[in-house]
Amino acid sequence: MEISQITAFLAVAEELHFGRAAQRLHSAQPPLSRTIRQLEKQLGATLFERNTRNVRLTPAGEALLGPAREILDACRLAEIAVAAAGRGQVGRVRIGFAGVSSHLLIGRWAKLVRHTHPGIEFVLDSSAFASEALNKLLDGTLDIGLVRWIFTPPGIASRVILNEDFVVALPADHPLAARADIRIEELASEPWVTLPADPGSALRDSLQRAAHDAGFTPRIVQSAPDSMALMALVSAEVGCALTVSSVAENVNNPDVVFLPLTGGPSTLQLRIAWRADDDSAALREVLRLSEEALPTPE
């Protein structure tokens, strides 16, 4: 059966008059009659009893009425779904992120998307650190990454959503813990704990560069998989750590003190990153909403 045949059948079934049905379909009566006869031939059943005075549905016609309406409803829903997808109102967007501050920002963004575009599925990956996020963006496993990259790789577009200040985390009873701020060279002889030495690890790279500029090589004694574990090492007096202000704001550990870093790198940028050639309508709509939920800082 074709959609045009179903439409013609329903028009006649609801009007019970070929002339009125033809007017409703903006058609002439003879083509409509031919369409109904073709449908009856395909189904091997008479759908209408016709005489000069009236038209009635046969039992076969009655049986077809419900399924025919369901078919047209399904077609209309399909058209609506396709149109919504073209406007970016439905779809699936996969986002990778890691870190304390990223969790809070993602929650704000996801809430806006859910309230305004419930047809978009927001899939979250909370274990995507810098190099992993890049690899997943490039191979298409992720659509968006929240990343702290010192350099943006080719083929990747990005937008800054947060400028974070560098701070140094010290054990609370460290001799320098009572200071208002600290310079990196004052910690030249200290043991350091850092995030893993993955490609694109911005915090570790920033520590190495700041120490080099200050004339020393940091003595890294242990690595931790994430910022929370890193602060646990600091509180255990394993070493000091270079981190960012958002970590200081979200870690409540009385055994750790955070001091602003002076004379070294000033800020680290948190970015939304995506494939520059990705033309997904849902992605573009989610990125548009990000400008409202997570505007670029002035």
Side-chain angles (χ1 to χ4, degrees):
M1 287 184 290
E2 298 178 1
I3 298 301
S4 59
Q5 292 175 318
I6 296 295
T7 303
F9 165 74
L10 284 175
V12 177
E14 290 166 1
E15 297 290 344
L16 292 179
H17 191 282
F18 275 81
R20 290 195 299 269
Q23 289 178 349
R24 172 171 154 181
L25 296 173
H26 306 289
S27 171
Q29 185 172 333
L32 175 60
S33 298
R34 285 196 298 271
T35 297
I36 296 299
R37 286 196 298 271
Q38 290 169 355
L39 180 58
E40 290 175 326
K41 184 177 180 180
Q42 285 178 233
L43 295 175
T46 301
L47 301 174
F48 297 100
E49 292 179 358
R50 313 165 178 82
N51 57 44
T52 55
R53 287 179 297 179
N54 56 40
V55 176
R56 290 190 305 169
L57 282 166
T58 65
E62 293 280 3
L64 180 59
L65 195 56
R69 286 173 174 154
E70 289 178 5
I71 290 170
L72 281 194
D73 287 343
C75 289
R76 292 188 189 102
L77 287 175
E79 290 172 355
I80 292 169
V82 169
R87 294 190 297 269
Q89 294 176 344
V90 297
R92 189 168 185 259
V93 177
R94 300 154 300 178
I95 300 182
F97 61 99
V100 177
S101 60
S102 297
H103 285 73
L104 300 175
L105 297 172
I106 282 287
R108 188 190 312 164
W109 189 7
K111 181 179 179 180
L112 178 62
V113 172
R114 184 173 63 84
H115 284 177
T116 59
H117 292 67
I120 293 180
E121 182 184 3
F122 219 49
V123 183
L124 305 180
D125 180 349
S126 62
S127 61
F129 289 88
S131 60
E132 183 181 7
L134 174 59
N135 292 334
K136 287 185 174 183
L137 278 176
L138 293 175
D139 69 16
T141 336
L142 285 179
D143 303 304
I144 298 174
L146 261 68
V147 296
R148 294 175 179 88
W149 290 332
I150 296 175
F151 303 104
T152 302
I156 299 295
S158 70
R159 182 175 68 81
V160 176
I161 59 171
L162 186 64
N163 290 317
E164 303 188 87
D165 295 323
F166 283 103
V167 297
V168 174
L170 295 174
D173 58 357
H174 191 281
L176 299 176
R179 295 275 298 276
D181 53 43
I182 198 163
R183 298 179 67 87
I184 193 81
E185 54 264 33
E186 296 178 90
L187 302 168
S189 62
E190 295 289 329
W192 290 85
V193 291
T194 71
L195 296 177
D198 294 328
S201 177
L203 275 174
R204 187 175 180 126
D205 290 350
S206 296
L207 170 62
Q208 297 281 10
R209 292 168 60 190
H212 177 270
D213 292 344
F216 72 96
T217 299
R219 181 164 57 92
I220 297 173
V221 296
Q222 193 167 338
S223 296
D226 55 52
S227 293
M228 298 303 289
L230 194 63
M231 294 307 105
L233 292 178
V234 174
S235 68
E237 302 182 355
V238 176
C240 54
L242 182 68
T243 186
V244 287
S245 51
S246 63
V247 173
E249 292 164 2
N250 291 285
V251 170
N252 184 19
N253 188 331
D255 296 323
V256 179
V257 171
F258 298 95
L259 302 182
L261 182 66
T262 61
S266 56
T267 60
L268 184 62
Q269 293 179 326
L270 179 63
R271 295 173 174 269
I272 296 172
W274 64 94
R275 291 183 303 281
D277 62 354
D278 193 331
D279 59 358
S280 162
L283 170 66
R284 297 296 166 182
E285 191 62 16
V286 166
L287 289 174
R288 185 188 68 79
L289 291 171
S290 77
E291 296 177 4
E292 179 179 344
L294 308 172
T296 300
E298 295 182 0

